[in-house]
Every structure is written in structure tokens, then in C-alpha cells.
Amino acid sequence: MPKPIFQRILLKLSGEALVGDQEYGISPAVVQKLALELQEVMELGVEVAIVIGGGNIYRGVAASAQGMDRASADQMGMLATIINSLALQDALEKLGVFTRVMSAIEINQVAEPYIRRRAIRHLEKKRVVIFAGGTGNPFFTTDTAAALRAMEVKAQVILKATKVDGVYDTDPLLHKKAMRFEKLSYIEVLQQGLKIMDAAAISLCMENNLPIIVFNLIEKGNIKRVVLGQKIGTVIRG
Ligand code: UDP
């Protein structure tokens, strides 16, 4: 059996990863597909932590641009990430994969509270841990939550799933001649203003030397490929 190069990963999914062909919300078929891919990764013996965004349901910044109080709008965004986490948990458990949703905001009837040591224990017991509620603070994003949680549970890498196969110099969906980077340093990402993750998340990874691999989630089997060390996507490191 092929050997994974990572023992513990943190996968960052944006809310959009669950939306499929719809304009909004959660596509059950897409979530099922994702769960199957994660099951394959679990079968390799890899410990998997996940942070999901909420952009498919609600984005605080967008609402605040229309006049809503930013902190309240962000709290709605955080609730959206909990909704997504529960959808993924359900799909995984239908496949017999054990999971825990741990929330950064108290919502005890729905999800466990986030307790770092307990999260690590779940991972050691081969449960997929889904971190919901972002960082629990408004004015942050789930990218920052991903960097923070990855550091806290000592994940070896952040796998940042996107719609394209890595980081490009311009938007490859708009520009045919866009060039893909094979690797980048954190500083290059920050200096060139490449929109992969927000600057707070990149800085946090830089300070703690945590590598990020940006890869295409749409292509089937890609999470497994990255975990097995195949060279796809863009690697960001020091
Ligand atoms: N959010 C927040 N604090 C956090 C993480 C998220 O307030 O620590 C809110 C914020 O409003 C954000 C929304 O949750 O717009 C959804 O998260 P994000 O935009 O990161 O989701 P993604 O773009 O990954 O789908």
C-alpha cells in the first residue's frame, strides 16, 4: 500500500466547495463525493482535521457592505460554518467514518466545544475532527481559523482546496495566459498580494513555518494524491 507523507493534515475547505452547481447552499451529492474522498484518505491511516468556511451560505463582509453591523454579520457567518460542518459530518458518518464537530462558539446541543487537547485525542483515535465556527471571533476568516487550528493540533501541513490547480499569477478562470507557480515563499505570497488565503493566515503560517499546499479539489482523488506526496498544486513554505 502506498505510504502517506503526512500523518496529520488540516484540510481547509471553503464553503463554495459544498455548493456544486447551485448558486447557494449545500449540494448533497457534492458533500457525499467529498466524504468518499476523505474516507479513502482515512484508510491510509492519516489523521484528518478539517476547517470549513461558510461563504456558500453567508459572508459577514458582504452583509456589512450592505449596512449590517459587521460583528453581527460575522456571527451569522460563523453559524453558517457550523451548518456546513454538520452536513459533512453526516455524510462521513453515513460511510462509517467516525467524526467530531468541535465548535469555537458554544452550541453544546449541536457540537462539542473546541478543547485543544480533546481535539488531539480525537485525531489520535482516528476520528475526523471538523472545526466549526471559525476562530469564534468576528473580523476573522476561516483561513485564519485553519492556520490557528493547524498549529494548535500540530498538523504537518494545511491543504487548501480550491477550484483551480494551484496558485497563478493572475486569475486563470479569466486569463488564458495565467501562469501557475509550483512553489512560493510566504513572503512572495504577501508581497505579490496573491489571493490564496488572507494575509493574517499566511503570516501565521510563516511565523510557525507551516507549509500550505494549494490544490484543485474538483479533480477526483486529489486529496489522496497530495497526501501521498504527488506533486500537484502549489507548495507555499519558507
Ligand atoms: N467568520 C468570522 N470569524 C472567523 C471565521 C469566519 O467571523 O473566525 C465569518 C465571516 O463573516 C466569514 C464567514 O464566517 O465571512 C464565512 O467564513 P469564510 O468567509 O472564511 O468562508 P469561506 O470563504 O472559506 O467559504
Side-chain angles (χ1 to χ4, degrees), residues 12-16 53-56 58-61 73-75 77-78 81 133-143 145:
K12 165 69 212 309
L13 301 167
S14 64
E16 268 188 348
N56 57 323
Y58 203 83
R59 268 218 178 86
V61 201
D74 278 343
Q75 285 170 337
M78 288 188 264
T81 71
T135 63
N137 302 294
F139 300 97
F140 284 89
T141 65
T142 50
D143 282 344

